[in-house]
Amino acid sequence: AGFASFAARVAPRGVIESLGRYAKEHGQVREECGVASINPATNEVILHDGSRLIAGEIIVANGVEAYGLLHPYMGASNDGKPLGRGVAGQALMVEFTHDDTLPILYQDGVYIIPHADNLMAIGSTSRNMELADMAGEMADFDADDMAFYEKALALAPMLKGAPIVEKWAGIRPRNTLKGRGADPWFEVVPGHDNLIALMGGFKITFGIAHRAMDVARGKIEGPRREKLSWVQ
């Protein structure tokens, strides 16, 4: 099927796990070792443990933590202001027997999304956070912030009593770029040909991730590029 008409339902965690296995089989993966800084002039990546890597090309695609790494190279064009902020969100999964034909429901900021194996995802919340208030990309689930769950039960009363099998929380990256607003930045950083920023995306990044690098490297042109990239 063509790109414009192709559609599928995937499990994001499963996709990421598959990509991780492929990366480990065909390259080097370092886990639990964050990036302290980058230097595109020398193609250096400095890790928190003090080790240094030399890269042919540096691609920054690490959510809200990208803003601090890229600010030395993009901050001036943003009037010195932060390149983005975090938006904390949380959701949960319930166990509910269904025949895998139920639709996705949405109302008043609440999503109810059927998954395979008799699971239903319910989410989510949105709470703006300044970068100074965040310690990394993780967030703790706030048991006092369950209004989204109550709204979901009012929208789909059949889910009342369905056991909650998982809760999770995270921080989504939302750009605040001069002239770009909240649109994603998938592009070479001006003045640094070997530095690519895949930054922002907020809620849609996973859905367009398969085109991100093509957009960043200019392989998609014309109206399709404009719709996919929100750049130049």
Side-chain angles (χ1 to χ4, degrees), residues 85-86 165 217:
R85 65 170 181 265
V165 296
R217 292 193 170 115

Side-chain angles (χ1 to χ4, degrees), residues 38 40 57-60 70 73 187-190 192-197:
I38 57 177
E57 185 176 65
I58 299 173
I59 301 171
V60 179
L70 292 167
Y73 312 104
E187 196 171 350
V188 174
V189 173
H192 302 281
D193 292 341
N194 292 327
L195 178 59
I196 292 178

Side-chain angles (χ1 to χ4, degrees), residues 32-37 45-52 62 65 69:
E32 304 298 329
C33 190
V35 176
S37 63
V45 177
I46 297 88
L47 305 181
H48 282 305
D49 64 4
S51 61
R52 294 170 179 261
N62 59 336
E65 293 185 355
L69 289 176

